[in-house]
């Protein structure tokens, strides 16, 4: 619903925003092309910096799912090679310290479909399964000696056996404050703990136990100490205070708390593993801001002295999110990814004086930072006309190393686009984008669709978007804004909607609609709107205030906010941001106006949701569907069986795009 930045990506809501050349012989993008997208991720430089391992996620139409495989290229590029071909996912590649083998996680050959550790010898041969644990290996870190591996292992689900006689599942017993989570389901007593694997003997022993999770293990350069992250308060479900701990990698060793810092709800997508300095004297990590601001607070790069425990936040003066810390080869600075307005940049922060230097320019989205050797840098780089690919950064310039999507992009035409600035009702400047339809002719007005990103602490940026390009290929102008609540503009901009959803952010979205109409692009009689997650939620707020829209699509959204309490996964966020309903009923009622005042809505609206969505559960879409159906407003509810907040089946995603096109065409192109 609100604090998961991955939701915007899962909904494929990132916007294409520059103008690629349009070859006359290229065809239009269509919904079948979704299955041809290849998602490149997790680049990992070998210790000598000569090779890059990475993942490629592609569609398996026969199995109606996506499969992730491992690939490799060299530093010079031009030699992409697929390493794994199994029908199951292979993820999280990591190089051995000597570069002789590559480790990864996979569920293949595991009867319980738990991820286990595998090793692939780079000299040749089949990958070897190393662990066969009752629980899932969720993360790992290879020791500098290459002989030991720290594992993060989830407790086995053997405490939930079937009743043998009837093969009936046991009742689910809930006694936690935070008791449900999308994809995971209902949460019991299962936790993640650290284990040590000896590769020579294949012996695995537990390093930690207890009623809390351990994550993000990281070895000291001398291999004598493990750093890891854990919340060890009396009830970890109720706070976001994480501890950075150190311990000897031996069973029975007592962890030592080095420092504490704030996280981000139950979701720490931005929190990478602690990074030891080359001399082992400091550890870099990502720390959150004011816990009272939840996901609206900024996170940045911090370092802590291993001997004293003294920590400092290095990027506070930037008023921007920064993550993915990596040490420079000499240990005098840190590299990181800075999120700015509609873009992300690579920066270098000096530990001597705190000076920040931008190493890249605007016009792209960067992620997946990898550093090796004497500051060899590889990244994932996406631009509006290109899906993310691995690039090398040399002397301030990018050199593309992978071309997984070259065949598709050579076939299709991409839409023109431009950056815009709109003035909201109160005068606030709001950045946004316009993507013109492929059949655009100057002076002509077009049916226009406003798409709203999820989060809300996310943003539209310089990245390829299948959804937006599909709409443009079908004759629509696409309008978007990064309204208040979005990230990329600093903490004050983000927290402007704290406990005030659907107010100034809705005005900001409408301001970009007004701008597109005033500029002669948008046909005021043929306006559509839509989004997924908070994008769907804000869609409901918009159509409850502005009746100009002739069609809307609202995916995985909520309008009766009280219905979310105890039924979704945001219990702590609700109580911290809004207060318990029995203590602050007025604010809960105020924020529920699209449902409580559904009689103000006149826009035909298509609602969509996964049946197993624990993030923004189906009941919320059902309520809004029923409210509009009761008033005889054209509406439809599409339920995707077995799907969570983000749709995973290839056919369901294709179906969703086709329904978008059909719904908008019905009311905007009669």
């Amino acid at each position: 619903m609100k604090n998961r930045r991955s939701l915007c990506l899962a909904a494929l809501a990132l916007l294409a925003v520059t103008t690629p050349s349009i070859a006359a012989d290229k065809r239009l993008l269509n919904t079948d092309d979704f299955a041809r997208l290849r998602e490149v991720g997790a680049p990992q430089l070998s210790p000598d910096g000569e090779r890059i391992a990475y993942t490629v996620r592609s569609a398996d139409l026969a199995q109606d799912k996506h499969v992730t495989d491992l690939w490799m290229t060299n530093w010079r590029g031009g030699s992409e090679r697929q390493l794994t071909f199994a029908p199951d996912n292979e993820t999280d590649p990591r190089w051995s310290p000597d570069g002789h083998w590559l480790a990864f996680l996979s569920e293949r050959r595991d009867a319980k479909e738990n991820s286990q550790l595998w090793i692939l010898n780079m000299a040749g041969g089949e990958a070897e399964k190393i662990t066969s644990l009752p629980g899932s290996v969720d993360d790992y870190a290879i020791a500098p000696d290459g002989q030991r591996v720290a594992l993060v292992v989830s407790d086995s689900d053997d405490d939930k056996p079937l009743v043998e006689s009837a093969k009936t599942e046991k009742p689910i017993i809930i006694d936690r404050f935070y008791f449900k989570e999308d994809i995971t389901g209902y949460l019991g007593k299962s936790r993640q703990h650290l284990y040590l694997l000896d590769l020579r003997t294949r012996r695995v022993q537990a390093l930690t136990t207890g009623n809390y999770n351990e994550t993000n293990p990281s070895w000291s350069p001398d291999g004598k100490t493990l750093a890891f992250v854990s919340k060890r308060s009396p009830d970890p479900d109720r706070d976001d205070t994480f501890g950075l701990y150190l311990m000897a990698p031996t069973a029975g060793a007592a962890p030592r708390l080095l420092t504490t810092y704030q996280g981000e709800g139950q979701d720490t997508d931005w929190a990478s593993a602690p990074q030891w300095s080359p001399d082992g004297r400091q550890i870099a990590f990502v720390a959150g801001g004011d816990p009272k601001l939840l996901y609206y607070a900024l996170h940045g790069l911090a370092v802590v002295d291993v001997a004293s425990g003294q920590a400092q936040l290095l990027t506070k003066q930037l008023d921007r999110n920064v993550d993915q810390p990596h040490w420079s080869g000499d240990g005098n600075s840190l590299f990181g990814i800075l999120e700015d307005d509609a873009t992300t940049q690579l920066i270098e922060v000096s530990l001597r004086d705190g000076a920040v230097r931008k190493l890249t320019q605007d016009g792209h989205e960067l992620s997946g930072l990898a550093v090796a050797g004497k500051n060899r840098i590889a990244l994932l780089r996406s631009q509006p006309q290109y899906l993310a690919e691995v690039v090398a950064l040399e002397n301030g310039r990018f050199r593309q190393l992978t071309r997984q999507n070259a065949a598709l992009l050579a076939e299709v035409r991409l839409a023109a686009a431009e950056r815009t600035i709109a003035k909201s009702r109160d005068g606030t400047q709001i950045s946004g984008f316009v993507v013109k339809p492929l059949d655009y002719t100057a002076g002509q007005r077009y049916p226009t669709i406003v798409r709203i990103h999820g989060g809300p602490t996310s943003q539209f940026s310089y990245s390829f978007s299948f959804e937006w390009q599909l709409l443009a290929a079908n004759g629509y102008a696409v309008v978007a804004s990064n309204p208040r609540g979005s990230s990329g503009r600093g903490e004050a901009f983000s927290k402007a909607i704290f406990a005030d959803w659907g107010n100034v952010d809705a005005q900001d979205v409408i301001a970009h609609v007004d701008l597109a109409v005033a500029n002669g692009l948008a046909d005021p009689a043929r306006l559509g709107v839509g989004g997924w997650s908070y994008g769907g939620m804000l869609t409901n707020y918009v159509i409850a205030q502005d009746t100009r829209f002739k069609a809307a699509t609202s995916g995985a959204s909520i309008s009766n906010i009280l219905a979310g309490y105890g039924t979704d996964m945001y219990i702590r966020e609700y109580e911290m941001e809004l207060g318990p309903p029995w203590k602050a009923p007025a604010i809960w009622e105020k924020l529920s106006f699209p449902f409580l005042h559904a009689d103000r809505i006149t826009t035909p609206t298509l609602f969509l949701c996964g049946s197993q969505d624990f993030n923004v559960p189906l009941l919320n879409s059902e309520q809004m569907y029923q409210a509009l159906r009761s008033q005889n407003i054209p509406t439809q509810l599409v339920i995707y069986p077995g799907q969570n907040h983000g749709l995973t089946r290839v056919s369901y995603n294709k179906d969703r795009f086709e329904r978008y096109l059909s719904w908008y065409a019905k009311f905007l192109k009669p």
Side-chain angles (χ1 to χ4, degrees):
M1 166 185 154
K2 294 172 36 235
N3 68 330
R4 299 216 161 190
R5 299 181 56 197
S6 62
L7 303 181
C8 185
L9 297 175
L12 290 175
L14 291 177
L15 173 63
V17 292
T18 62
T19 306
S21 60
I22 299 177
D25 58 345
K26 290 186 177 183
R27 63 175 176 82
L28 297 177
L29 197 73
N30 60 60
T31 56
D32 289 331
D33 290 322
F34 175 77
R36 295 184 60 190
L37 302 182
R38 298 175 68 81
E39 183 180 336
V40 181
Q44 297 288 313
L45 276 164
S46 60
D48 61 5
E50 291 298 326
R51 293 166 293 174
I52 303 101
Y54 54 96
T55 60
V56 177
R57 181 175 180 263
S58 58
D60 182 337
L61 296 178
Q63 299 295 320
D64 196 17
K65 66 177 184 179
H66 283 92
V67 175
T68 301
D69 291 300
L70 301 185
W71 285 67
M72 184 178 70
T73 189
N74 61 38
W75 180 250
R76 291 298 140 201
S79 62
E80 294 183 75
R81 178 162 67 94
Q82 188 169 350
L83 301 177
T84 62
F85 298 85
D88 299 294
N89 295 322
E90 290 89 24
T91 64
D92 302 274
R94 311 274 166 77
W95 290 96
S96 64
D98 59 11
H100 290 170
W101 47 269
L102 190 69
F104 61 91
L105 299 180
S106 180
E107 298 176 355
R108 54 172 157 162
R109 298 187 198 168
D110 189 277
K112 295 183 179 180
E113 297 185 342
N114 289 325
S115 292
Q116 301 293 338
L117 182 70
W118 291 69
I119 284 180
L120 178 65
N121 191 320
M122 300 311 294
E126 292 291 327
E128 180 184 5
K129 186 179 181 182
I130 303 301
T131 63
S132 296
L133 299 170
S136 179
V137 179
D138 299 321
D139 195 7
Y140 67 101
I142 304 169
D145 60 16
Q147 299 298 323
R148 297 167 296 163
V149 182
L151 306 173
V152 175
V153 182
S154 293
D155 294 342
S156 170
D157 287 333
D158 288 344
D159 59 337
K160 298 179 182 179
L162 299 179
V163 178
E164 293 185 4
S165 58
K167 301 297 182 184
T168 302
E169 293 185 20
K170 280 188 172 183
I172 299 172
I173 309 300
I174 302 296
D175 59 6
R176 291 178 57 174
F177 177 71
Y178 177 66
F179 70 91
K180 64 191 305 186
E181 190 170 74
D182 196 38
I183 301 177
T184 307
Y186 290 106
L187 303 177
K189 298 183 182 299
S190 178
R191 296 292 192 271
Q192 294 175 316
H193 296 299
L194 290 182
Y195 288 73
L196 182 68
L197 165 66
D198 188 317
L199 288 175
R200 291 164 294 193
T201 64
R202 303 296 170 89
R203 182 188 177 194
V204 178
Q205 57 180 330
L207 296 180
T208 62
T209 60
N211 190 32
Y212 28 70
N213 297 316
E214 281 86 36
T215 62
N216 296 317
S218 179
W219 291 88
S220 61
D222 61 9
K224 295 180 179 180
T225 307
L226 266 176
F228 65 92
V229 174
S230 184
K231 289 200 299 182
R232 297 195 168 198
S233 61
D235 188 351
D237 287 345
R238 291 181 178 269
D239 67 71
D240 287 330
T241 302
F242 288 81
L244 178 57
Y245 290 84
L246 303 180
M247 70 176 297
T250 57
R256 173 172 71 92
L257 177 63
L258 182 62
T259 189
T260 59
Y261 64 93
Q262 290 302 312
E264 182 185 288
Q266 279 76 37
D267 180 29
T268 52
D269 287 348
W270 44 262
S272 57
Q275 302 289 311
W276 291 80
S277 62
D279 61 10
R281 295 181 179 180
Q282 298 182 88
I283 298 176
F285 60 100
V286 181
D290 185 348
K292 295 179 182 179
L293 294 181
L294 300 165
Y295 31 78
Y296 303 110
L298 299 180
H299 54 265
L301 303 189
V303 292
V304 58
D305 182 79
V306 172
S308 67
Q310 291 295 315
Q312 60 174 323
L313 184 63
L314 299 177
T315 57
K316 185 176 181 179
Q317 77 278 12
L318 294 176
D319 193 31
R320 293 291 187 271
N321 290 315
V322 187
D323 58 14
Q324 301 181 47
H326 285 71
W327 288 91
S328 61
D330 59 14
N332 292 327
S333 61
L334 280 169
F335 298 109
I337 300 294
L338 176 142
E339 182 189 35
D340 207 348
D341 188 12
T343 188
T344 54
Q345 302 297 333
L346 178 65
I347 63 170
E348 185 176 13
V349 184
S350 171
L351 267 71
R352 291 172 178 164
D353 56 13
V356 177
R357 182 165 67 102
K358 280 190 178 182
L359 303 180
T360 57
Q361 303 299 319
D362 293 343
H364 50 230
E365 182 172 83
L366 301 177
S367 61
L369 174 62
V371 180
K374 295 183 178 180
N375 297 347
R376 277 199 171 177
I377 295 174
L379 299 138
L380 292 173
R381 183 183 186 231
S382 176
Q383 287 185 292
Q385 65 271 45
Y386 296 107
L387 283 84
E389 300 280 1
V390 181
V391 297
L393 180 64
E394 293 179 312
N395 301 318
R397 295 185 177 183
F398 295 109
R399 180 166 49 81
Q400 190 168 336
L401 300 179
T402 65
R403 290 172 174 79
Q404 291 288 327
N405 293 283
L408 174 61
L409 297 179
E411 295 178 20
V412 297
R413 297 168 57 193
L414 298 179
E418 63 185 50
R419 188 80 176 275
T420 59
I421 300 293
K423 183 179 291 187
S424 195
R425 183 185 301 174
D426 62 2
T428 302
Q429 299 288 314
I430 307 296
S431 64
F433 307 96
V434 170
V435 179
K436 296 177 181 178
L438 283 172
D439 60 355
Y440 174 75
T441 300
Q444 182 175 334
R445 291 186 180 271
Y446 291 86
T448 299
I449 297 173
V450 184
R451 295 299 292 177
I452 305 175
H453 69 67
T457 48
S458 180
Q459 65 169 340
F460 290 128
S461 66
Y462 290 93
S463 181
F464 178 86
S465 165
F466 180 83
E467 180 179 286
W468 293 74
Q469 291 290 345
L470 181 66
L471 292 170
N474 280 270
Y476 295 100
V478 181
V479 170
S481 69
N482 286 324
R484 276 167 282 188
S486 301
S487 51
R489 291 276 299 275
E491 191 168 270
F493 190 87
S494 181
K495 71 178 184 180
I497 67 168
F498 188 93
D500 194 22
W501 314 330
N503 183 13
V504 294
D505 49 353
Q507 296 171 20
D508 297 346
V509 169
I510 292 171
H512 271 278
V513 177
D514 294 338
L515 180 63
V517 171
N519 287 342
L521 174 65
D523 183 344
R526 293 187 293 169
L527 298 176
V529 63
W532 195 272
S533 192
Y534 191 84
M537 185 173 168
L538 188 50
T539 292
N540 299 343
Y541 282 120
V542 167
I543 61 176
Q545 300 176 60
D546 192 325
T547 60
R548 288 180 296 171
F549 296 96
K550 299 299 187 292
T553 63
S554 180
S557 65
I558 180 174
S559 289
N560 178 15
I561 308 303
L562 187 60
Y565 187 91
T567 66
D568 65 29
M569 55 185 278
Y570 292 103
I571 180 60
R572 185 167 62 235
E573 289 86 341
Y574 280 133
E575 293 199 356
M576 290 184 67
E577 186 168 356
L578 309 183
W582 51 91
K583 291 185 178 180
I587 193 169
W588 287 77
E589 179 179 353
K590 171 190 172 185
L591 297 182
S592 299
F593 73 80
F595 176 71
L596 298 179
H597 298 284
D599 56 330
R600 300 175 183 174
I601 298 175
T602 62
T603 303
T605 305
L606 172 68
F607 295 97
L608 312 94
C609 193
S611 67
Q612 302 301 313
D613 189 343
F614 273 15
N615 193 310
V616 188
L618 173 61
L619 71 92
N620 301 292
S621 295
E622 291 175 327
Q623 285 191 318
M624 284 302 292
Y625 163 78
Q626 191 67 71
L628 268 61
R629 174 60 66 190
S630 177
Q631 300 176 81
N632 291 317
I633 297 171
T635 185
Q636 191 175 72
L637 175 63
V638 179
I639 302 170
Y640 293 103
Q643 297 296 284
N644 302 110
H645 195 58
L647 305 185
T648 57
R649 288 198 175 276
V650 179
S651 62
Y652 287 162
N653 276 290
K654 182 175 182 288
D655 178 87
R656 175 174 57 172
F657 293 133
E658 289 174 344
R659 291 185 186 278
Y660 286 168
L661 294 177
S662 176
W663 190 261
Y664 286 133
K666 180 178 180 179
F667 297 99
L668 303 184
K669 294 181 177 181

